[in-house]
PDB file of all heavy atoms in Angstrom:
ATOM      1  N   GLY A  35     -25.463  15.619   5.675  1.00  0.00           N
ATOM      2  CA  GLY A  35     -24.002  15.539   5.632  1.00  0.00           C
ATOM      3  C   GLY A  35     -23.374  16.543   6.658  1.00  0.00           C
ATOM      4  O   GLY A  35     -23.791  16.603   7.820  1.00  0.00           O
ATOM      5  N   SER A  36     -22.422  17.318   6.144  1.00  0.00           N
ATOM      6  CA  SER A  36     -21.736  18.285   7.034  1.00  0.00           C
ATOM      7  C   SER A  36     -22.520  19.575   7.124  1.00  0.00           C
ATOM      8  O   SER A  36     -22.062  20.516   7.752  1.00  0.00           O
ATOM      9  CB  SER A  36     -20.358  18.582   6.482  1.00  0.00           C
ATOM     10  OG  SER A  36     -20.455  19.291   5.230  1.00  0.00           O
ATOM     11  N   LEU A  37     -23.652  19.649   6.474  1.00  0.00           N
ATOM     12  CA  LEU A  37     -24.527  20.861   6.434  1.00  0.00           C
ATOM     13  C   LEU A  37     -23.909  21.980   5.595  1.00  0.00           C
ATOM     14  O   LEU A  37     -24.390  23.107   5.642  1.00  0.00           O
ATOM     15  CB  LEU A  37     -24.873  21.369   7.829  1.00  0.00           C
ATOM     16  CG  LEU A  37     -25.292  20.310   8.851  1.00  0.00           C
ATOM     17  CD1 LEU A  37     -25.642  20.996  10.172  1.00  0.00           C
ATOM     18  CD2 LEU A  37     -26.535  19.512   8.351  1.00  0.00           C
ATOM     19  N   ASN A  38     -22.834  21.666   4.851  1.00  0.00           N
ATOM     20  CA  ASN A  38     -22.144  22.705   4.089  1.00  0.00           C
ATOM     21  C   ASN A  38     -22.678  22.683   2.661  1.00  0.00           C
ATOM     22  O   ASN A  38     -23.031  21.646   2.134  1.00  0.00           O
ATOM     23  CB  ASN A  38     -20.625  22.369   4.084  1.00  0.00           C
ATOM     24  CG  ASN A  38     -19.816  23.396   3.369  1.00  0.00           C
ATOM     25  OD1 ASN A  38     -20.148  24.583   3.433  1.00  0.00           O
ATOM     26  ND2 ASN A  38     -18.743  22.997   2.781  1.00  0.00           N
ATOM     27  N   THR A  39     -22.713  23.844   2.010  1.00  0.00           N
ATOM     28  CA  THR A  39     -23.162  23.938   0.652  1.00  0.00           C
ATOM     29  C   THR A  39     -22.045  23.762  -0.384  1.00  0.00           C
ATOM     30  O   THR A  39     -22.241  23.917  -1.590  1.00  0.00           O
ATOM     31  CB  THR A  39     -23.905  25.291   0.379  1.00  0.00           C
ATOM     32  OG1 THR A  39     -22.972  26.347   0.694  1.00  0.00           O
ATOM     33  CG2 THR A  39     -25.131  25.421   1.169  1.00  0.00           C
ATOM     34  N   GLY A  40     -20.866  23.389   0.085  1.00  0.00           N
ATOM     35  CA  GLY A  40     -19.714  23.313  -0.841  1.00  0.00           C
ATOM     36  C   GLY A  40     -19.642  21.976  -1.559  1.00  0.00           C
ATOM     37  O   GLY A  40     -20.408  21.057  -1.349  1.00  0.00           O
ATOM     38  N   ALA A  41     -18.611  21.920  -2.431  1.00  0.00           N
ATOM     39  CA  ALA A  41     -18.451  20.759  -3.327  1.00  0.00           C
ATOM     40  C   ALA A  41     -18.258  19.425  -2.578  1.00  0.00           C
ATOM     41  O   ALA A  41     -18.809  18.429  -3.028  1.00  0.00           O
ATOM     42  CB  ALA A  41     -17.240  21.023  -4.222  1.00  0.00           C
ATOM     43  N   THR A  42     -17.534  19.487  -1.479  1.00  0.00           N
ATOM     44  CA  THR A  42     -17.300  18.208  -0.707  1.00  0.00           C
ATOM     45  C   THR A  42     -18.581  17.594  -0.254  1.00  0.00           C
ATOM     46  O   THR A  42     -18.837  16.440  -0.379  1.00  0.00           O
ATOM     47  CB  THR A  42     -16.388  18.466   0.492  1.00  0.00           C
ATOM     48  OG1 THR A  42     -15.191  19.166   0.020  1.00  0.00           O
ATOM     49  CG2 THR A  42     -16.015  17.137   1.197  1.00  0.00           C
ATOM     50  N   ASN A  43     -19.457  18.467   0.303  1.00  0.00           N
ATOM     51  CA  ASN A  43     -20.738  17.950   0.858  1.00  0.00           C
ATOM     52  C   ASN A  43     -21.685  17.525  -0.292  1.00  0.00           C
ATOM     53  O   ASN A  43     -22.413  16.548  -0.134  1.00  0.00           O
ATOM     54  CB  ASN A  43     -21.392  18.962   1.807  1.00  0.00           C
ATOM     55  CG  ASN A  43     -22.346  18.271   2.739  1.00  0.00           C
ATOM     56  OD1 ASN A  43     -22.135  17.116   3.125  1.00  0.00           O
ATOM     57  ND2 ASN A  43     -23.397  18.973   3.124  1.00  0.00           N
ATOM     58  N   VAL A  44     -21.656  18.305  -1.377  1.00  0.00           N
ATOM     59  CA  VAL A  44     -22.476  17.907  -2.550  1.00  0.00           C
ATOM     60  C   VAL A  44     -21.981  16.561  -3.086  1.00  0.00           C
ATOM     61  O   VAL A  44     -22.841  15.704  -3.401  1.00  0.00           O
ATOM     62  CB  VAL A  44     -22.459  19.042  -3.636  1.00  0.00           C
ATOM     63  CG1 VAL A  44     -23.243  18.556  -4.867  1.00  0.00           C
ATOM     64  CG2 VAL A  44     -23.078  20.316  -3.108  1.00  0.00           C
ATOM     65  N   ARG A  46     -20.458  14.297  -1.369  1.00  0.00           N
ATOM     66  CA  ARG A  46     -20.839  13.277  -0.360  1.00  0.00           C
ATOM     67  C   ARG A  46     -22.299  12.840  -0.461  1.00  0.00           C
ATOM     68  O   ARG A  46     -22.647  11.691  -0.399  1.00  0.00           O
ATOM     69  CB  ARG A  46     -20.603  13.944   1.005  1.00  0.00           C
ATOM     70  CG  ARG A  46     -20.818  13.042   2.191  1.00  0.00           C
ATOM     71  CD  ARG A  46     -20.574  13.901   3.464  1.00  0.00           C
ATOM     72  NE  ARG A  46     -19.156  14.201   3.700  1.00  0.00           N
ATOM     73  CZ  ARG A  46     -18.698  15.425   3.955  1.00  0.00           C
ATOM     74  NH1 ARG A  46     -19.518  16.466   3.987  1.00  0.00           N
ATOM     75  NH2 ARG A  46     -17.401  15.609   4.163  1.00  0.00           N
ATOM     76  N   LYS A 104     -17.403  27.065   2.607  1.00  0.00           N
ATOM     77  CA  LYS A 104     -16.143  27.194   3.388  1.00  0.00           C
ATOM     78  C   LYS A 104     -15.076  27.894   2.578  1.00  0.00           C
ATOM     79  O   LYS A 104     -13.980  28.102   3.077  1.00  0.00           O
ATOM     80  CB  LYS A 104     -15.747  25.850   3.954  1.00  0.00           C
ATOM     81  CG  LYS A 104     -16.786  25.322   4.888  1.00  0.00           C
ATOM     82  CD  LYS A 104     -16.439  24.035   5.604  1.00  0.00           C
ATOM     83  CE  LYS A 104     -17.590  23.642   6.504  1.00  0.00           C
ATOM     84  NZ  LYS A 104     -17.410  22.378   7.182  1.00  0.00           N
ATOM     85  N   GLY A 105     -15.359  28.188   1.326  1.00  0.00           N
ATOM     86  CA  GLY A 105     -14.489  29.117   0.570  1.00  0.00           C
ATOM     87  C   GLY A 105     -13.338  28.526  -0.198  1.00  0.00           C
ATOM     88  O   GLY A 105     -12.629  29.288  -0.854  1.00  0.00           O
ATOM     89  N   VAL A 106     -13.131  27.207  -0.134  1.00  0.00           N
ATOM     90  CA  VAL A 106     -11.903  26.654  -0.736  1.00  0.00           C
ATOM     91  C   VAL A 106     -11.932  26.760  -2.257  1.00  0.00           C
ATOM     92  O   VAL A 106     -10.980  27.210  -2.897  1.00  0.00           O
ATOM     93  CB  VAL A 106     -11.719  25.197  -0.252  1.00  0.00           C
ATOM     94  CG1 VAL A 106     -10.477  24.571  -0.939  1.00  0.00           C
ATOM     95  CG2 VAL A 106     -11.539  25.183   1.249  1.00  0.00           C
ATOM     96  N   ALA A 107     -13.022  26.282  -2.908  1.00  0.00           N
ATOM     97  CA  ALA A 107     -13.085  26.351  -4.342  1.00  0.00           C
ATOM     98  C   ALA A 107     -13.005  27.782  -4.847  1.00  0.00           C
ATOM     99  O   ALA A 107     -12.264  28.069  -5.843  1.00  0.00           O
ATOM    100  CB  ALA A 107     -14.383  25.719  -4.841  1.00  0.00           C
ATOM    101  N   VAL A 138     -10.629  15.677   3.386  1.00  0.00           N
ATOM    102  CA  VAL A 138     -10.663  16.855   2.521  1.00  0.00           C
ATOM    103  C   VAL A 138     -10.429  18.126   3.335  1.00  0.00           C
ATOM    104  O   VAL A 138      -9.710  19.039   2.880  1.00  0.00           O
ATOM    105  CB  VAL A 138     -12.048  16.975   1.827  1.00  0.00           C
ATOM    106  CG1 VAL A 138     -12.140  18.231   0.963  1.00  0.00           C
ATOM    107  CG2 VAL A 138     -12.272  15.727   0.964  1.00  0.00           C
ATOM    108  N   SER A 139     -10.939  18.158   4.505  1.00  0.00           N
ATOM    109  CA  SER A 139     -10.785  19.367   5.375  1.00  0.00           C
ATOM    110  C   SER A 139      -9.310  19.576   5.690  1.00  0.00           C
ATOM    111  O   SER A 139      -8.863  20.733   5.732  1.00  0.00           O
ATOM    112  CB  SER A 139     -11.646  19.279   6.645  1.00  0.00           C
ATOM    113  OG  SER A 139     -11.307  18.056   7.344  1.00  0.00           O
ATOM    114  N   ALA A 140      -8.546  18.545   5.968  1.00  0.00           N
ATOM    115  CA  ALA A 140      -7.152  18.702   6.271  1.00  0.00           C
ATOM    116  C   ALA A 140      -6.415  19.265   5.037  1.00  0.00           C
ATOM    117  O   ALA A 140      -5.579  20.182   5.173  1.00  0.00           O
ATOM    118  CB  ALA A 140      -6.491  17.362   6.672  1.00  0.00           C
ATOM    119  N   GLY A 141      -6.754  18.768   3.875  1.00  0.00           N
ATOM    120  CA  GLY A 141      -6.204  19.302   2.640  1.00  0.00           C
ATOM    121  C   GLY A 141      -6.552  20.792   2.484  1.00  0.00           C
ATOM    122  O   GLY A 141      -5.725  21.626   2.079  1.00  0.00           O
ATOM    123  N   SER A 142      -7.810  21.132   2.741  1.00  0.00           N
ATOM    124  CA  SER A 142      -8.236  22.515   2.607  1.00  0.00           C
ATOM    125  C   SER A 142      -7.502  23.461   3.527  1.00  0.00           C
ATOM    126  O   SER A 142      -7.129  24.581   3.161  1.00  0.00           O
ATOM    127  CB  SER A 142      -9.769  22.554   2.976  1.00  0.00           C
ATOM    128  OG  SER A 142     -10.507  21.812   2.108  1.00  0.00           O
ATOM    129  N   LEU A 143      -7.251  22.991   4.776  1.00  0.00           N
ATOM    130  CA  LEU A 143      -6.535  23.844   5.729  1.00  0.00           C
ATOM    131  C   LEU A 143      -5.080  24.002   5.300  1.00  0.00           C
ATOM    132  O   LEU A 143      -4.511  25.147   5.397  1.00  0.00           O
ATOM    133  CB  LEU A 143      -6.597  23.190   7.105  1.00  0.00           C
ATOM    134  CG  LEU A 143      -7.974  23.243   7.730  1.00  0.00           C
ATOM    135  CD1 LEU A 143      -8.143  22.280   8.907  1.00  0.00           C
ATOM    136  CD2 LEU A 143      -8.330  24.673   8.211  1.00  0.00           C
ATOM    137  N   LYS A 175     -14.024  29.075   8.977  1.00  0.00           N
ATOM    138  CA  LYS A 175     -15.134  28.366   8.499  1.00  0.00           C
ATOM    139  C   LYS A 175     -14.939  26.864   8.707  1.00  0.00           C
ATOM    140  O   LYS A 175     -15.926  26.103   8.654  1.00  0.00           O
ATOM    141  CB  LYS A 175     -15.306  28.606   6.965  1.00  0.00           C
ATOM    142  CG  LYS A 175     -16.047  29.867   6.686  1.00  0.00           C
ATOM    143  CD  LYS A 175     -17.533  29.600   6.871  1.00  0.00           C
ATOM    144  CE  LYS A 175     -18.421  30.822   6.489  1.00  0.00           C
ATOM    145  NZ  LYS A 175     -19.830  30.421   6.455  1.00  0.00           N
ATOM    146  N   HIS A 176     -13.719  26.430   8.919  1.00  0.00           N
ATOM    147  CA  HIS A 176     -13.437  25.014   9.202  1.00  0.00           C
ATOM    148  C   HIS A 176     -13.334  24.695  10.681  1.00  0.00           C
ATOM    149  O   HIS A 176     -12.787  23.634  11.088  1.00  0.00           O
ATOM    150  CB  HIS A 176     -12.146  24.564   8.483  1.00  0.00           C
ATOM    151  CG  HIS A 176     -12.296  24.276   7.003  1.00  0.00           C
ATOM    152  ND1 HIS A 176     -12.363  25.288   6.073  1.00  0.00           N
ATOM    153  CD2 HIS A 176     -12.383  23.107   6.356  1.00  0.00           C
ATOM    154  CE1 HIS A 176     -12.527  24.724   4.882  1.00  0.00           C
ATOM    155  NE2 HIS A 176     -12.545  23.442   5.024  1.00  0.00           N
ATOM    156  N   ASN A 179     -14.745  21.393  11.571  1.00  0.00           N
ATOM    157  CA  ASN A 179     -13.888  20.333  11.018  1.00  0.00           C
ATOM    158  C   ASN A 179     -12.624  20.127  11.851  1.00  0.00           C
ATOM    159  O   ASN A 179     -12.180  19.026  12.147  1.00  0.00           O
ATOM    160  CB  ASN A 179     -13.434  20.683   9.617  1.00  0.00           C
ATOM    161  CG  ASN A 179     -14.625  20.852   8.635  1.00  0.00           C
ATOM    162  OD1 ASN A 179     -15.165  21.947   8.570  1.00  0.00           O
ATOM    163  ND2 ASN A 179     -15.007  19.812   7.881  1.00  0.00           N
ATOM    164  N   ARG A 182     -13.497  18.319  14.873  1.00  0.00           N
ATOM    165  CA  ARG A 182     -13.701  16.854  14.605  1.00  0.00           C
ATOM    166  C   ARG A 182     -12.370  16.180  14.304  1.00  0.00           C
ATOM    167  O   ARG A 182     -12.161  15.033  14.743  1.00  0.00           O
ATOM    168  CB  ARG A 182     -14.644  16.705  13.416  1.00  0.00           C
ATOM    169  CG  ARG A 182     -16.116  16.984  13.764  1.00  0.00           C
ATOM    170  CD  ARG A 182     -17.037  16.441  12.691  1.00  0.00           C
ATOM    171  NE  ARG A 182     -16.883  17.065  11.420  1.00  0.00           N
ATOM    172  CZ  ARG A 182     -17.568  18.211  11.029  1.00  0.00           C
ATOM    173  NH1 ARG A 182     -18.436  18.712  11.856  1.00  0.00           N
ATOM    174  NH2 ARG A 182     -17.342  18.719   9.844  1.00  0.00           N
ATOM    175  N   GLU A 188     -13.667  13.274  12.323  1.00  0.00           N
ATOM    176  CA  GLU A 188     -13.886  13.818  10.973  1.00  0.00           C
ATOM    177  C   GLU A 188     -14.148  12.622  10.050  1.00  0.00           C
ATOM    178  O   GLU A 188     -13.532  11.565  10.178  1.00  0.00           O
ATOM    179  CB  GLU A 188     -12.696  14.638  10.554  1.00  0.00           C
ATOM    180  CG  GLU A 188     -12.810  15.261   9.130  1.00  0.00           C
ATOM    181  CD  GLU A 188     -13.824  16.415   9.052  1.00  0.00           C
ATOM    182  OE1 GLU A 188     -14.890  16.333   9.723  1.00  0.00           O
ATOM    183  OE2 GLU A 188     -13.570  17.406   8.334  1.00  0.00           O
ATOM    184  N   LYS A 189     -15.080  12.835   9.099  1.00  0.00           N
ATOM    185  CA  LYS A 189     -15.388  11.739   8.132  1.00  0.00           C
ATOM    186  C   LYS A 189     -14.315  11.759   7.031  1.00  0.00           C
ATOM    187  O   LYS A 189     -14.077  12.715   6.391  1.00  0.00           O
ATOM    188  CB  LYS A 189     -16.754  11.987   7.475  1.00  0.00           C
ATOM    189  CG  LYS A 189     -17.890  11.504   8.252  1.00  0.00           C
ATOM    190  CD  LYS A 189     -19.135  11.269   7.350  1.00  0.00           C
ATOM    191  CE  LYS A 189     -20.232  10.559   8.085  1.00  0.00           C
ATOM    192  NZ  LYS A 189     -20.731  11.298   9.247  1.00  0.00           N
TER     193      LYS A 189
HETATM  194  O1  G3P B   1     -13.844  22.673   1.382  1.00  0.00           O
HETATM  195  C1  G3P B   1     -14.711  22.066   2.352  1.00  0.00           C
HETATM  196  C2  G3P B   1     -14.002  20.909   2.961  1.00  0.00           C
HETATM  197  O2  G3P B   1     -12.708  21.267   3.421  1.00  0.00           O
HETATM  198  C3  G3P B   1     -14.770  20.307   4.101  1.00  0.00           C
HETATM  199  O3  G3P B   1     -16.079  20.063   3.736  1.00  0.00           O
HETATM  200  O4  G3P B   1     -18.380  19.212   3.894  1.00  0.00           O
HETATM  201  O5  G3P B   1     -16.466  17.984   4.921  1.00  0.00           O
HETATM  202  O6  G3P B   1     -17.162  20.103   5.933  1.00  0.00           O
HETATM  203  P1  G3P B   1     -17.095  19.288   4.689  1.00  0.00           P
END
Side-chain angles (χ1 to χ4, degrees):
S36 68
L37 314 180
N38 185 33
T39 56
T42 306
N43 203 32
V44 174
R46 184 182 287 128
K104 297 183 180 176
V106 177
V138 177
S139 55
S142 300
L143 290 164
K175 278 283 184 169
H176 279 78
N179 301 84
R182 286 196 295 271
E188 181 71 321
K189 275 201 171 61

